[in-house]
Amino acid sequence: MCPAAVPPADRCPGVLRLHAAADGALARVRVPGGRLTADGLEAIGTLATAHGNGLVEVTSRAGVQVRGLAESGATTAADLLFAAGLLPSPEHDRVRNLLAPPLGPRHPRALAGVDAGALAAALDAGLCADARLAELPGRFLFAVEDGSRTLGRHRADVALVALAGPKPLLRLYLAGAPTTLLTPVADGPAVALRAAHAFLDLLEGGAAAEASGGRAWRIADLPDGTARVATALGGAMTGGAPLAAVRPLGVGRTEQADGRVALTVLTPLGRIDAAALAPLAALARARAAGDVRLATDRTLTLVDVDAAAAGDVAGALGELGLVTVAGSGWAGLTACAGAGACVSALLDVRAAASERAAVRRPPDPAEHWAACERGCGTPAGPAVVVHARAGGGLTVTGAGAPGTEPLPFAGLPEALRHLAPKEHHP
């Protein structure tokens, strides 16, 4: 391999490579397709309770994070998660980044003959069986779209998008843009993996050196990356519209095609008490399909719930601290790790955002609180973004905000003054 072609290593954490945060080490668990089994829930709960800070975070890529681990926790984490089937290939720990719609063929809009869950499982198995693909950056993202339009906002490097017709086909999208490459459903995972190989071929050929700063962690980081990958696969870019951003399943009840229901709940600020995972696993086994489906809006979904029992199951989910009704102030509200968890944090943004949840109501825009001007965790798409500033005060930008000029707490217009809780005034 040409030395100049090797991009700087990305710093995405995994299970075997922890991230050193202010509150201890952080482990990020990939959950391909968002399918987290009851055994997996229990293992993550045990890890967070016995070795972490007792909280589990759901990520914007439908994965899970455990914070507050001792550095020695990597071995414990690996053992627990391997036993639960969450670490099938240690070499591929950080590259199993794969989104799929929560309901799969159960959703009334999912195209017949396209089982997103089965495609995601086949893609993950092929990825883990390919030693070279362990070289992918930890930011590289795969996705499967089945026509249900419930996957949520993403810009996957490689996506398989179902097309309606007498015999469904999958179109390959690269960095959110359509290619001319169509494939039968059964061949989709192999085509997606070929695209990942083409990306690595470009890096080995020196393409990383052409990227800004020599960093090429995703296809869009490469000059003409989408066109070059498509050409390597024998296709081209169509020039058509990019994949439209859609929201995942809303909180509440969704009628499945088979007469049963799916129940979707929200994790406030993406966090759930680790002690709730064991009873959640028991609920998934007894009253649903035996797993929990994670989504990009940090929601959890139980599928195959008997319609007559849905009210009782929703009540049990609410008792675990999960948001079970639509229209909550927690919807669309996010925050970075904040003070105590990140050395760069200037503000306890989680406390501030929690106060905001009490007054936000639909149709308030999405809103993100960031504890410094780096803006970690800022979601894609329109949102109000509130940054804490090193010199004191806040910068409020985005939809419905006054502009991009820094504003001290006292200088916020009346309509936005409640964005700055008084106890956080400098």
Side-chain angles (χ1 to χ4, degrees):
M1 180 183 296
C2 173
V6 180
D10 67 87
R11 295 185 292 176
C12 292
V15 173
L16 302 179
R17 188 174 80 181
L18 306 183
H19 167 69
D23 57 348
L26 177 149
R28 183 173 297 162
V29 186
R30 269 64 177 183
V31 185
R35 273 60 169 172
L36 185 55
T37 66
D39 287 349
L41 280 167
E42 290 174 339
I44 291 169
T46 297
L47 178 64
T49 301
H51 305 282
N53 65 2
L55 291 171
V56 172
E57 297 177 336
V58 180
T59 75
S60 62
R61 286 188 167 192
V64 171
Q65 291 184 163
V66 178
R67 307 187 68 96
L69 296 169
E71 285 293 342
S72 59
T75 300
T76 300
D79 290 344
L80 279 170
L81 301 179
F82 178 81
L86 291 171
L87 193 63
S89 171
E91 295 78 14
H92 295 79
D93 172 25
R94 300 187 313 115
V95 304
R96 301 172 66 227
N97 302 301
L98 172 57
L99 301 178
L103 267 60
R106 297 169 176 82
H107 198 284
R109 291 197 303 270
L111 296 178
V114 182
D115 186 334
L119 284 169
L123 180 50
D124 182 46
L127 178 67
C128 289
D130 191 321
R132 188 192 183 211
L133 293 182
E135 301 171 15
L136 286 170
R139 301 184 186 187
F140 198 91
L141 179 63
F142 296 92
V144 178
E145 295 268 9
D146 63 2
S148 65
R149 308 283 292 164
T150 57
L151 190 52
R153 296 185 182 93
H154 70 87
R155 186 53 60 89
D157 294 276
V158 177
L160 300 170
V161 180
L163 304 178
K167 188 174 183 179
L169 295 172
L170 300 176
R171 184 184 295 279
L172 181 71
Y173 277 63
L174 298 173
T179 75
T180 60
L181 294 159
L182 301 176
T183 181
V185 172
D187 296 336
V191 172
L193 296 177
R194 284 177 54 210
H197 273 282
F199 170 75
L200 290 178
D201 289 343
L202 290 175
L203 296 188
E204 292 181 4
E210 304 170 28
S212 176
R215 296 180 177 181
W217 295 323
R218 308 194 64 183
I219 288 177
D221 294 338
L222 298 176
D224 298 319
T226 54
R228 294 162 79 177
V229 171
T231 299
L233 299 180
M237 306 307 295
T238 68
L243 199 60
V246 294
R247 296 183 67 83
L249 288 175
V251 172
R253 173 173 172 154
T254 301
E255 305 295 327
Q256 294 182 184
D258 60 6
R260 293 178 290 185
V261 301
L263 296 176
T264 299
V265 296
L266 179 68
T267 56
L269 297 183
R271 285 188 170 181
I272 181 172
D273 192 320
L277 295 192
L280 178 59
L283 194 63
R285 288 191 181 102
R287 311 297 290 273
D291 64 6
V292 169
R293 312 296 177 87
L294 313 182
T296 56
D297 265 12
R298 297 177 171 89
T299 56
L300 310 177
T301 298
L302 295 181
V303 300
D304 297 349
V305 178
D306 184 84
D312 290 341
V313 175
L317 291 168
E319 291 174 1
L320 297 179
L322 300 164
V323 178
T324 61
V325 295
S328 164
W330 292 109
L333 181 63
T334 56
C336 70
C342 175
V343 294
S344 300
L346 304 170
L347 183 69
D348 185 353
V349 287
R350 289 189 168 271
S354 295
E355 293 195 16
R356 285 285 296 140
V359 298
R360 295 179 74 251
R361 291 293 180 267
D364 289 351
E367 183 178 312
H368 181 71
W369 282 72
C372 74
E373 292 170 297
R374 293 167 58 195
C376 293
T378 301
V384 173
V385 181
V386 185
H387 294 94
R389 294 192 296 120
L394 300 174
T395 298
V396 183
T397 61
T404 59
E405 291 300 315
L407 297 170
F409 287 103
L412 286 173
E414 190 64 36
L416 290 174
R417 196 159 294 164
H418 56 287
L419 292 175
K422 291 181 179 179
E423 62 266 34
H424 297 302
H425 282 197

